[in-house]
Amino acid sequence: MTIETRLAELGLTLPDAPAPAANYVPFVRTGSQLFISGQISQTAEGRITGKLGADMTLEQGAEAAKACALSLIAQARAACDGDLERVVRLVKLVGFVNSTPDFTQQPQVINGASDLMVAVFGDAGRHARSAVSAASLPMGVAVEIEAVFEIR
């Protein structure tokens, strides 16, 4: 089964690969590694903003992380000239959660992205990961996640 077929079976539609918001590139390929710049929590309807532990629930945070994961996959597809079958595996995710000082469930928020990656890529979606708190994120978004993929 192809990655595109899996996405369709899961009812997921990838957004267009988001353009950079500042002076950086969306991804860098070096050898078989693909580094994807941080993708913020946004959907076609707009940015998902808020602060976990204040005005967002854990479930809303996990949905925000899922939106980041879809953008990461869209960037990977763009980097692979439209061919997600070139993805060998997801190596690592680094997730930042806009949260209050007493909020301690950053790993559960980033699970929204991790679970989606495993659903889409199967065992090749299992990855190393960091999930950390941030006092603030660009444009007030709830979550930002960056990724490293191995590609052919």
Side-chain angles (χ1 to χ4, degrees), residues 84-128:
L84 282 171
E85 297 310 306
R86 291 182 53 199
V87 172
V88 174
R89 75 166 301 123
L90 174 60
V91 177
K92 184 167 186 179
L93 292 180
V94 179
F96 303 91
V97 179
N98 186 353
S99 55
T100 60
D102 60 335
F103 184 81
T104 60
Q105 294 178 297
Q106 290 82 6
Q108 290 88 339
V109 170
I110 302 304
N111 278 348
S114 293
D115 293 347
L116 183 128
M117 293 299 197
V118 172
V120 170
F121 293 103
D123 282 341
R126 298 193 185 285
H127 53 275

Side-chain angles (χ1 to χ4, degrees), residues 5-152:
T5 301
R6 243 188 237 134
L7 285 165
E9 284 185 353
L10 294 168
L12 300 172
T13 302
L14 294 182
D16 292 334
N23 187 18
Y24 62 91
V25 294
F27 57 82
V28 171
R29 289 180 292 193
T30 180
S32 64
Q33 292 187 318
L34 174 63
F35 294 83
I36 300 179
S37 296
Q39 301 296 298
I40 61 172
S41 52
Q42 64 183 8
T43 66
E45 290 78 39
R47 292 185 187 107
I48 303 171
T49 59
K51 188 174 282 288
L52 278 292
D55 57 2
M56 289 188 80
T57 66
L58 181 60
E59 293 75 22
Q60 290 171 317
E63 284 299 310
K66 181 179 172 181
C68 294
L70 290 171
S71 291
L72 288 165
I73 297 169
Q75 291 291 3
R77 181 169 62 184
C80 293
D81 301 319
D83 185 6
L84 282 171
E85 297 310 306
R86 291 182 53 199
V87 172
V88 174
R89 75 166 301 123
L90 174 60
V91 177
K92 184 167 186 179
L93 292 180
V94 179
F96 303 91
V97 179
N98 186 353
S99 55
T100 60
D102 60 335
F103 184 81
T104 60
Q105 294 178 297
Q106 290 82 6
Q108 290 88 339
V109 170
I110 302 304
N111 278 348
S114 293
D115 293 347
L116 183 128
M117 293 299 197
V118 172
V120 170
F121 293 103
D123 282 341
R126 298 193 185 285
H127 53 275
R129 188 181 87 179
S130 299
V132 298
S133 179
S136 178
L137 288 173
M139 297 167 278
V141 297
V143 179
E144 180 175 355
I145 304 176
E146 62 184 53
V148 179
F149 285 88
E150 179 185 353
I151 59 172
R152 325 181 206 282

